[in-house]
Amino acid sequence: MISWQVVIEILQRLAAWGLLGILTEHFFTGFKALSQGRWDAPTKSNLPVFFVYGIGGTLLELLDWSLSWHILLKAVPMTIAIFAIEFLFGLLSIQLYGRCFWKYTKSDSSEEIHRFSIMGLIRLDYVQYWYILSVFFMYISPRLKLTINAISRL
């Protein structure tokens, strides 16, 4: 039987990865807006992706712990895992809600799927971003655990 302490630790991890994911998405969309000359740098996200980031981050932690490779080599299967998580959660959201909570179209006002997109759920030209995110993830993961432990002792 799972103890309450383990359940609480899992929930803390889900929440921490969810919040970190949304924060990262806001930085990414803000920098994208800046690169397009929009100096007000509007950002966007939505609440359902909090759960995608929370569950995805927790699953990536398990993958990180299971591989003892060099960080730059380990980032390759983690990048593939990010694509898989994004794709599967996109399919799940379509099944449950009739739509995906993100869209990879040619522009925000277009419904035409981007040419590097698969079913509008993932974008293959984002591989370098997911790779960099994987390396960042492995750097931040142990620090996140320390932060969670410090907060839970308050």
Side-chain angles (χ1 to χ4, degrees):
M1 184 161 179
I2 297 177
S3 72
W4 281 108
Q5 185 176 355
V6 171
V7 171
I8 289 171
E9 184 177 329
I10 291 170
L11 291 174
Q12 289 171 331
R13 287 181 133 37
L14 291 169
W17 286 119
L19 291 171
L20 188 60
I22 288 199
L23 180 65
T24 302
E25 184 171 11
H26 277 285
F27 275 110
F28 182 78
T29 58
F31 284 123
K32 182 179 176 186
L34 280 174
S35 74
Q36 296 169 341
R38 298 188 61 193
W39 299 110
D40 59 339
T43 64
K44 61 181 176 181
S45 188
N46 52 56
L47 189 57
V49 298
F50 170 82
F51 300 102
V52 175
Y53 292 131
I55 294 168
T58 304
L59 292 173
L60 286 175
E61 267 188 321
L62 295 173
L63 180 60
D64 183 24
W65 296 338
S66 69
L67 299 174
S68 58
W69 305 348
H70 185 276
I71 190 169
L72 297 177
L73 190 58
K74 195 188 316 188
V76 173
M78 291 187 73
T79 301
I80 294 167
I82 289 171
F83 275 121
I85 290 165
E86 184 178 30
F87 186 80
L88 292 173
F89 272 100
L91 284 178
L92 182 64
S93 70
I94 290 170
Q95 287 291 336
L96 295 175
Y97 304 106
R99 69 179 197 89
C100 185
F101 293 104
W102 55 91
K103 68 178 195 173
Y104 291 129
T105 55
K106 287 188 172 187
S107 69
D108 287 340
S109 60
S110 171
E111 289 301 319
E112 187 177 349
I113 293 176
H114 192 277
R115 68 183 172 141
F116 292 116
S117 175
I118 296 177
M119 298 172 57
L121 303 177
I122 60 173
R123 274 190 51 179
L124 298 178
D125 60 325
Y126 280 12
V127 68
Q128 70 275 10
Y129 301 121
W130 299 153
Y131 182 85
I132 292 166
L133 186 67
S134 296
V135 172
F136 174 72
F137 176 91
M138 289 180 276
Y139 174 79
I140 201 87
S141 181
R143 288 154 183 82
L144 186 67
K145 182 176 181 173
L146 291 172
T147 303
I148 291 170
N149 290 339
I151 291 171
S152 63
R153 284 193 300 260
L154 294 177

